Amino acid sequence: MKKLRFGAALHFLIAIGHVCCLFALDKAFEAYGIKDFMHQMVSGHTWMLYALTIGLAFAFCVAGLYALSATGDIRRLPLTRMAVITIVVLYSLRALVGGISCINDFTWLRCFSSLIPAVIAWCYWPGVKGNFYTNLR
């Protein structure tokens, strides 16, 4: 349960970080080396970058709420087990891809950005177990 709560806290911190990045969005994109890609993706509609960042912050908050739902700290959300499994799979893939990219082009930011998803997947792992949910009913 402590791991899931820690994973929820990490998600809420990541969401806060995304909201803080709204004030310097181009600098954040530049730090990650995706500034040109992001601007090409929105075809000059800069407001879409802000909407996407707010959407990501919201998604991180929802992922944190699912961890709290799995621990029983808040009311049970629909499809909690499926959501936790999805979070573990997505973060494991993100950590794997990030780790491979660190081999090709190592930076501390890239390494840190790959390590955090691995930690989150590890935190959510107890929520994947089927017998974990029998105690919550």
Side-chain angles (χ1 to χ4, degrees), residues 47-76:
W47 66 269
M48 292 174 95
L49 296 173
Y50 292 93
L52 178 63
T53 304
I54 291 169
L56 282 171
F58 178 74
F60 288 125
C61 284
V62 169
L65 289 173
Y66 268 103
L68 295 178
S69 174
T71 62
D73 291 340
I74 64 171
R75 197 183 95 201
R76 188 144 167 87

PDB file of all heavy atoms in Angstrom, residues 47-76:
ATOM      1  N   TRP A  47      -1.543  27.645 -28.781  1.00  0.00           N
ATOM      2  CA  TRP A  47      -2.467  27.359 -27.691  1.00  0.00           C
ATOM      3  C   TRP A  47      -2.630  25.856 -27.488  1.00  0.00           C
ATOM      4  O   TRP A  47      -2.900  25.391 -26.380  1.00  0.00           O
ATOM      5  CB  TRP A  47      -3.821  28.016 -27.937  1.00  0.00           C
ATOM      6  CG  TRP A  47      -4.563  27.452 -29.117  1.00  0.00           C
ATOM      7  CD1 TRP A  47      -4.503  27.888 -30.408  1.00  0.00           C
ATOM      8  CD2 TRP A  47      -5.450  26.330 -29.116  1.00  0.00           C
ATOM      9  NE1 TRP A  47      -5.295  27.109 -31.211  1.00  0.00           N
ATOM     10  CE2 TRP A  47      -5.897  26.147 -30.446  1.00  0.00           C
ATOM     11  CE3 TRP A  47      -5.921  25.476 -28.129  1.00  0.00           C
ATOM     12  CZ2 TRP A  47      -6.773  25.135 -30.802  1.00  0.00           C
ATOM     13  CZ3 TRP A  47      -6.806  24.466 -28.489  1.00  0.00           C
ATOM     14  CH2 TRP A  47      -7.219  24.303 -29.811  1.00  0.00           C
ATOM     15  N   MET A  48      -2.444  25.078 -28.573  1.00  0.00           N
ATOM     16  CA  MET A  48      -2.585  23.626 -28.463  1.00  0.00           C
ATOM     17  C   MET A  48      -1.499  23.018 -27.572  1.00  0.00           C
ATOM     18  O   MET A  48      -1.736  22.009 -26.905  1.00  0.00           O
ATOM     19  CB  MET A  48      -2.554  22.980 -29.846  1.00  0.00           C
ATOM     20  CG  MET A  48      -3.763  23.307 -30.691  1.00  0.00           C
ATOM     21  SD  MET A  48      -3.593  22.662 -32.352  1.00  0.00           S
ATOM     22  CE  MET A  48      -4.450  21.123 -32.158  1.00  0.00           C
ATOM     23  N   LEU A  49      -0.322  23.634 -27.554  1.00  0.00           N
ATOM     24  CA  LEU A  49       0.749  23.152 -26.683  1.00  0.00           C
ATOM     25  C   LEU A  49       0.351  23.302 -25.221  1.00  0.00           C
ATOM     26  O   LEU A  49       0.616  22.411 -24.397  1.00  0.00           O
ATOM     27  CB  LEU A  49       2.045  23.914 -26.960  1.00  0.00           C
ATOM     28  CG  LEU A  49       2.638  23.719 -28.358  1.00  0.00           C
ATOM     29  CD1 LEU A  49       3.828  24.660 -28.555  1.00  0.00           C
ATOM     30  CD2 LEU A  49       3.046  22.275 -28.555  1.00  0.00           C
ATOM     31  N   TYR A  50      -0.286  24.406 -24.910  1.00  0.00           N
ATOM     32  CA  TYR A  50      -0.749  24.631 -23.538  1.00  0.00           C
ATOM     33  C   TYR A  50      -1.887  23.673 -23.183  1.00  0.00           C
ATOM     34  O   TYR A  50      -1.923  23.120 -22.085  1.00  0.00           O
ATOM     35  CB  TYR A  50      -1.171  26.088 -23.357  1.00  0.00           C
ATOM     36  CG  TYR A  50       0.002  27.019 -23.423  1.00  0.00           C
ATOM     37  CD1 TYR A  50       0.381  27.611 -24.625  1.00  0.00           C
ATOM     38  CD2 TYR A  50       0.756  27.298 -22.294  1.00  0.00           C
ATOM     39  CE1 TYR A  50       1.477  28.449 -24.694  1.00  0.00           C
ATOM     40  CE2 TYR A  50       1.853  28.132 -22.344  1.00  0.00           C
ATOM     41  CZ  TYR A  50       2.209  28.705 -23.548  1.00  0.00           C
ATOM     42  OH  TYR A  50       3.297  29.520 -23.604  1.00  0.00           O
ATOM     43  N   ALA A  51      -2.798  23.458 -24.133  1.00  0.00           N
ATOM     44  CA  ALA A  51      -3.906  22.534 -23.897  1.00  0.00           C
ATOM     45  C   ALA A  51      -3.381  21.105 -23.699  1.00  0.00           C
ATOM     46  O   ALA A  51      -3.853  20.377 -22.818  1.00  0.00           O
ATOM     47  CB  ALA A  51      -4.897  22.589 -25.054  1.00  0.00           C
ATOM     48  N   LEU A  52      -2.398  20.712 -24.489  1.00  0.00           N
ATOM     49  CA  LEU A  52      -1.804  19.390 -24.357  1.00  0.00           C
ATOM     50  C   LEU A  52      -1.119  19.220 -23.000  1.00  0.00           C
ATOM     51  O   LEU A  52      -1.274  18.187 -22.332  1.00  0.00           O
ATOM     52  CB  LEU A  52      -0.796  19.159 -25.487  1.00  0.00           C
ATOM     53  CG  LEU A  52      -0.045  17.839 -25.482  1.00  0.00           C
ATOM     54  CD1 LEU A  52      -1.011  16.673 -25.661  1.00  0.00           C
ATOM     55  CD2 LEU A  52       0.996  17.830 -26.578  1.00  0.00           C
ATOM     56  N   THR A  53      -0.418  20.239 -22.560  1.00  0.00           N
ATOM     57  CA  THR A  53       0.269  20.188 -21.270  1.00  0.00           C
ATOM     58  C   THR A  53      -0.735  20.112 -20.122  1.00  0.00           C
ATOM     59  O   THR A  53      -0.550  19.343 -19.170  1.00  0.00           O
ATOM     60  CB  THR A  53       1.201  21.404 -21.107  1.00  0.00           C
ATOM     61  OG1 THR A  53       2.109  21.433 -22.223  1.00  0.00           O
ATOM     62  CG2 THR A  53       1.992  21.326 -19.826  1.00  0.00           C
ATOM     63  N   ILE A  54      -1.814  20.868 -20.208  1.00  0.00           N
ATOM     64  CA  ILE A  54      -2.863  20.801 -19.180  1.00  0.00           C
ATOM     65  C   ILE A  54      -3.529  19.427 -19.205  1.00  0.00           C
ATOM     66  O   ILE A  54      -3.818  18.841 -18.151  1.00  0.00           O
ATOM     67  CB  ILE A  54      -3.889  21.938 -19.381  1.00  0.00           C
ATOM     68  CG1 ILE A  54      -3.235  23.288 -19.054  1.00  0.00           C
ATOM     69  CG2 ILE A  54      -5.129  21.715 -18.527  1.00  0.00           C
ATOM     70  CD1 ILE A  54      -4.056  24.492 -19.468  1.00  0.00           C
ATOM     71  N   GLY A  55      -3.753  18.879 -20.392  1.00  0.00           N
ATOM     72  CA  GLY A  55      -4.320  17.537 -20.511  1.00  0.00           C
ATOM     73  C   GLY A  55      -3.417  16.477 -19.889  1.00  0.00           C
ATOM     74  O   GLY A  55      -3.890  15.556 -19.213  1.00  0.00           O
ATOM     75  N   LEU A  56      -2.109  16.617 -20.097  1.00  0.00           N
ATOM     76  CA  LEU A  56      -1.170  15.687 -19.474  1.00  0.00           C
ATOM     77  C   LEU A  56      -1.195  15.802 -17.950  1.00  0.00           C
ATOM     78  O   LEU A  56      -1.168  14.786 -17.242  1.00  0.00           O
ATOM     79  CB  LEU A  56       0.248  15.931 -19.994  1.00  0.00           C
ATOM     80  CG  LEU A  56       0.558  15.378 -21.376  1.00  0.00           C
ATOM     81  CD1 LEU A  56       1.913  15.887 -21.855  1.00  0.00           C
ATOM     82  CD2 LEU A  56       0.539  13.864 -21.358  1.00  0.00           C
ATOM     83  N   ALA A  57      -1.238  17.019 -17.453  1.00  0.00           N
ATOM     84  CA  ALA A  57      -1.308  17.221 -16.000  1.00  0.00           C
ATOM     85  C   ALA A  57      -2.566  16.568 -15.433  1.00  0.00           C
ATOM     86  O   ALA A  57      -2.524  15.907 -14.387  1.00  0.00           O
ATOM     87  CB  ALA A  57      -1.276  18.710 -15.664  1.00  0.00           C
ATOM     88  N   PHE A  58      -3.669  16.708 -16.133  1.00  0.00           N
ATOM     89  CA  PHE A  58      -4.920  16.076 -15.711  1.00  0.00           C
ATOM     90  C   PHE A  58      -4.793  14.552 -15.718  1.00  0.00           C
ATOM     91  O   PHE A  58      -5.238  13.872 -14.791  1.00  0.00           O
ATOM     92  CB  PHE A  58      -6.067  16.532 -16.622  1.00  0.00           C
ATOM     93  CG  PHE A  58      -7.382  15.901 -16.289  1.00  0.00           C
ATOM     94  CD1 PHE A  58      -8.101  16.289 -15.171  1.00  0.00           C
ATOM     95  CD2 PHE A  58      -7.900  14.900 -17.098  1.00  0.00           C
ATOM     96  CE1 PHE A  58      -9.314  15.701 -14.857  1.00  0.00           C
ATOM     97  CE2 PHE A  58      -9.111  14.296 -16.795  1.00  0.00           C
ATOM     98  CZ  PHE A  58      -9.814  14.701 -15.672  1.00  0.00           C
ATOM     99  N   ALA A  59      -4.179  14.004 -16.761  1.00  0.00           N
ATOM    100  CA  ALA A  59      -4.006  12.551 -16.860  1.00  0.00           C
ATOM    101  C   ALA A  59      -3.128  12.026 -15.722  1.00  0.00           C
ATOM    102  O   ALA A  59      -3.402  10.953 -15.162  1.00  0.00           O
ATOM    103  CB  ALA A  59      -3.399  12.192 -18.214  1.00  0.00           C
ATOM    104  N   PHE A  60      -2.084  12.766 -15.362  1.00  0.00           N
ATOM    105  CA  PHE A  60      -1.238  12.348 -14.240  1.00  0.00           C
ATOM    106  C   PHE A  60      -2.022  12.371 -12.932  1.00  0.00           C
ATOM    107  O   PHE A  60      -1.845  11.497 -12.079  1.00  0.00           O
ATOM    108  CB  PHE A  60       0.014  13.217 -14.140  1.00  0.00           C
ATOM    109  CG  PHE A  60       1.021  12.952 -15.228  1.00  0.00           C
ATOM    110  CD1 PHE A  60       1.479  13.985 -16.025  1.00  0.00           C
ATOM    111  CD2 PHE A  60       1.510  11.680 -15.451  1.00  0.00           C
ATOM    112  CE1 PHE A  60       2.412  13.742 -17.027  1.00  0.00           C
ATOM    113  CE2 PHE A  60       2.440  11.424 -16.449  1.00  0.00           C
ATOM    114  CZ  PHE A  60       2.892  12.462 -17.245  1.00  0.00           C
ATOM    115  N   CYS A  61      -2.888  13.358 -12.771  1.00  0.00           N
ATOM    116  CA  CYS A  61      -3.734  13.401 -11.567  1.00  0.00           C
ATOM    117  C   CYS A  61      -4.682  12.210 -11.516  1.00  0.00           C
ATOM    118  O   CYS A  61      -4.865  11.600 -10.455  1.00  0.00           O
ATOM    119  CB  CYS A  61      -4.540  14.702 -11.527  1.00  0.00           C
ATOM    120  SG  CYS A  61      -3.595  16.135 -11.036  1.00  0.00           S
ATOM    121  N   VAL A  62      -5.266  11.853 -12.654  1.00  0.00           N
ATOM    122  CA  VAL A  62      -6.165  10.700 -12.702  1.00  0.00           C
ATOM    123  C   VAL A  62      -5.399   9.422 -12.358  1.00  0.00           C
ATOM    124  O   VAL A  62      -5.887   8.577 -11.601  1.00  0.00           O
ATOM    125  CB  VAL A  62      -6.853  10.593 -14.085  1.00  0.00           C
ATOM    126  CG1 VAL A  62      -7.583   9.272 -14.247  1.00  0.00           C
ATOM    127  CG2 VAL A  62      -7.809  11.756 -14.279  1.00  0.00           C
ATOM    128  N   ALA A  63      -4.175   9.282 -12.868  1.00  0.00           N
ATOM    129  CA  ALA A  63      -3.370   8.101 -12.550  1.00  0.00           C
ATOM    130  C   ALA A  63      -3.075   8.050 -11.052  1.00  0.00           C
ATOM    131  O   ALA A  63      -3.101   6.971 -10.445  1.00  0.00           O
ATOM    132  CB  ALA A  63      -2.076   8.114 -13.356  1.00  0.00           C
ATOM    133  N   GLY A  64      -2.810   9.193 -10.442  1.00  0.00           N
ATOM    134  CA  GLY A  64      -2.599   9.239  -9.000  1.00  0.00           C
ATOM    135  C   GLY A  64      -3.851   8.858  -8.234  1.00  0.00           C
ATOM    136  O   GLY A  64      -3.786   8.155  -7.223  1.00  0.00           O
ATOM    137  N   LEU A  65      -5.001   9.304  -8.719  1.00  0.00           N
ATOM    138  CA  LEU A  65      -6.262   8.945  -8.062  1.00  0.00           C
ATOM    139  C   LEU A  65      -6.535   7.443  -8.151  1.00  0.00           C
ATOM    140  O   LEU A  65      -7.080   6.849  -7.227  1.00  0.00           O
ATOM    141  CB  LEU A  65      -7.422   9.737  -8.674  1.00  0.00           C
ATOM    142  CG  LEU A  65      -7.438  11.233  -8.345  1.00  0.00           C
ATOM    143  CD1 LEU A  65      -8.542  11.930  -9.145  1.00  0.00           C
ATOM    144  CD2 LEU A  65      -7.615  11.454  -6.858  1.00  0.00           C
ATOM    145  N   TYR A  66      -6.139   6.822  -9.261  1.00  0.00           N
ATOM    146  CA  TYR A  66      -6.328   5.375  -9.376  1.00  0.00           C
ATOM    147  C   TYR A  66      -5.456   4.623  -8.374  1.00  0.00           C
ATOM    148  O   TYR A  66      -5.854   3.588  -7.858  1.00  0.00           O
ATOM    149  CB  TYR A  66      -6.078   4.891 -10.806  1.00  0.00           C
ATOM    150  CG  TYR A  66      -7.354   4.874 -11.608  1.00  0.00           C
ATOM    151  CD1 TYR A  66      -7.628   5.867 -12.534  1.00  0.00           C
ATOM    152  CD2 TYR A  66      -8.294   3.871 -11.416  1.00  0.00           C
ATOM    153  CE1 TYR A  66      -8.804   5.862 -13.252  1.00  0.00           C
ATOM    154  CE2 TYR A  66      -9.483   3.855 -12.127  1.00  0.00           C
ATOM    155  CZ  TYR A  66      -9.730   4.851 -13.041  1.00  0.00           C
ATOM    156  OH  TYR A  66     -10.912   4.845 -13.735  1.00  0.00           O
ATOM    157  N   ALA A  67      -4.276   5.135  -8.084  1.00  0.00           N
ATOM    158  CA  ALA A  67      -3.440   4.493  -7.059  1.00  0.00           C
ATOM    159  C   ALA A  67      -4.118   4.609  -5.703  1.00  0.00           C
ATOM    160  O   ALA A  67      -4.147   3.646  -4.930  1.00  0.00           O
ATOM    161  CB  ALA A  67      -2.061   5.136  -7.020  1.00  0.00           C
ATOM    162  N   LEU A  68      -4.652   5.779  -5.404  1.00  0.00           N
ATOM    163  CA  LEU A  68      -5.349   5.957  -4.126  1.00  0.00           C
ATOM    164  C   LEU A  68      -6.618   5.109  -4.065  1.00  0.00           C
ATOM    165  O   LEU A  68      -7.006   4.627  -3.003  1.00  0.00           O
ATOM    166  CB  LEU A  68      -5.668   7.435  -3.897  1.00  0.00           C
ATOM    167  CG  LEU A  68      -4.460   8.348  -3.734  1.00  0.00           C
ATOM    168  CD1 LEU A  68      -4.909   9.791  -3.566  1.00  0.00           C
ATOM    169  CD2 LEU A  68      -3.592   7.905  -2.568  1.00  0.00           C
ATOM    170  N   SER A  69      -7.248   4.903  -5.200  1.00  0.00           N
ATOM    171  CA  SER A  69      -8.424   4.028  -5.258  1.00  0.00           C
ATOM    172  C   SER A  69      -8.029   2.581  -4.980  1.00  0.00           C
ATOM    173  O   SER A  69      -8.730   1.857  -4.279  1.00  0.00           O
ATOM    174  CB  SER A  69      -9.093   4.136  -6.630  1.00  0.00           C
ATOM    175  OG  SER A  69     -10.135   3.212  -6.768  1.00  0.00           O
ATOM    176  N   ALA A  70      -6.876   2.178  -5.522  1.00  0.00           N
ATOM    177  CA  ALA A  70      -6.413   0.801  -5.312  1.00  0.00           C
ATOM    178  C   ALA A  70      -6.050   0.538  -3.859  1.00  0.00           C
ATOM    179  O   ALA A  70      -6.199  -0.575  -3.372  1.00  0.00           O
ATOM    180  CB  ALA A  70      -5.222   0.512  -6.217  1.00  0.00           C
ATOM    181  N   THR A  71      -5.588   1.561  -3.148  1.00  0.00           N
ATOM    182  CA  THR A  71      -5.242   1.378  -1.736  1.00  0.00           C
ATOM    183  C   THR A  71      -6.460   1.441  -0.830  1.00  0.00           C
ATOM    184  O   THR A  71      -6.381   1.059   0.325  1.00  0.00           O
ATOM    185  CB  THR A  71      -4.244   2.456  -1.262  1.00  0.00           C
ATOM    186  OG1 THR A  71      -4.847   3.741  -1.380  1.00  0.00           O
ATOM    187  CG2 THR A  71      -2.943   2.392  -2.029  1.00  0.00           C
ATOM    188  N   GLY A  72      -7.558   1.960  -1.358  1.00  0.00           N
ATOM    189  CA  GLY A  72      -8.760   2.105  -0.543  1.00  0.00           C
ATOM    190  C   GLY A  72      -8.824   3.438   0.177  1.00  0.00           C
ATOM    191  O   GLY A  72      -9.706   3.661   1.000  1.00  0.00           O
ATOM    192  N   ASP A  73      -7.898   4.355  -0.121  1.00  0.00           N
ATOM    193  CA  ASP A  73      -7.884   5.666   0.525  1.00  0.00           C
ATOM    194  C   ASP A  73      -9.022   6.561   0.043  1.00  0.00           C
ATOM    195  O   ASP A  73      -9.452   7.455   0.764  1.00  0.00           O
ATOM    196  CB  ASP A  73      -6.550   6.370   0.292  1.00  0.00           C
ATOM    197  CG  ASP A  73      -5.404   5.695   1.032  1.00  0.00           C
ATOM    198  OD1 ASP A  73      -5.678   4.946   1.995  1.00  0.00           O
ATOM    199  OD2 ASP A  73      -4.242   5.918   0.647  1.00  0.00           O
ATOM    200  N   ILE A  74      -9.463   6.349  -1.185  1.00  0.00           N
ATOM    201  CA  ILE A  74     -10.617   7.074  -1.711  1.00  0.00           C
ATOM    202  C   ILE A  74     -11.614   6.043  -2.227  1.00  0.00           C
ATOM    203  O   ILE A  74     -11.305   4.849  -2.307  1.00  0.00           O
ATOM    204  CB  ILE A  74     -10.230   8.071  -2.838  1.00  0.00           C
ATOM    205  CG1 ILE A  74      -9.670   7.340  -4.053  1.00  0.00           C
ATOM    206  CG2 ILE A  74      -9.268   9.121  -2.318  1.00  0.00           C
ATOM    207  CD1 ILE A  74      -9.471   8.223  -5.259  1.00  0.00           C
ATOM    208  N   ARG A  75     -12.793   6.514  -2.579  1.00  0.00           N
ATOM    209  CA  ARG A  75     -13.830   5.619  -3.100  1.00  0.00           C
ATOM    210  C   ARG A  75     -13.316   4.896  -4.344  1.00  0.00           C
ATOM    211  O   ARG A  75     -12.576   5.451  -5.147  1.00  0.00           O
ATOM    212  CB  ARG A  75     -15.063   6.443  -3.458  1.00  0.00           C
ATOM    213  CG  ARG A  75     -16.299   5.591  -3.610  1.00  0.00           C
ATOM    214  CD  ARG A  75     -17.464   6.417  -4.028  1.00  0.00           C
ATOM    215  NE  ARG A  75     -17.499   6.280  -5.493  1.00  0.00           N
ATOM    216  CZ  ARG A  75     -18.089   7.101  -6.306  1.00  0.00           C
ATOM    217  NH1 ARG A  75     -18.677   8.166  -5.859  1.00  0.00           N
ATOM    218  NH2 ARG A  75     -18.096   6.887  -7.597  1.00  0.00           N
ATOM    219  N   ARG A  76     -13.706   3.673  -4.494  1.00  0.00           N
ATOM    220  CA  ARG A  76     -13.243   2.847  -5.605  1.00  0.00           C
ATOM    221  C   ARG A  76     -13.690   3.447  -6.938  1.00  0.00           C
ATOM    222  O   ARG A  76     -14.872   3.686  -7.152  1.00  0.00           O
ATOM    223  CB  ARG A  76     -13.800   1.446  -5.445  1.00  0.00           C
ATOM    224  CG  ARG A  76     -13.236   0.475  -6.429  1.00  0.00           C
ATOM    225  CD  ARG A  76     -13.076  -0.874  -5.753  1.00  0.00           C
ATOM    226  NE  ARG A  76     -12.825  -1.920  -6.718  1.00  0.00           N
ATOM    227  CZ  ARG A  76     -11.611  -2.213  -7.147  1.00  0.00           C
ATOM    228  NH1 ARG A  76     -10.581  -1.570  -6.688  1.00  0.00           N
ATOM    229  NH2 ARG A  76     -11.444  -3.170  -8.028  1.00  0.00           N
TER     230      ARG A  76
END
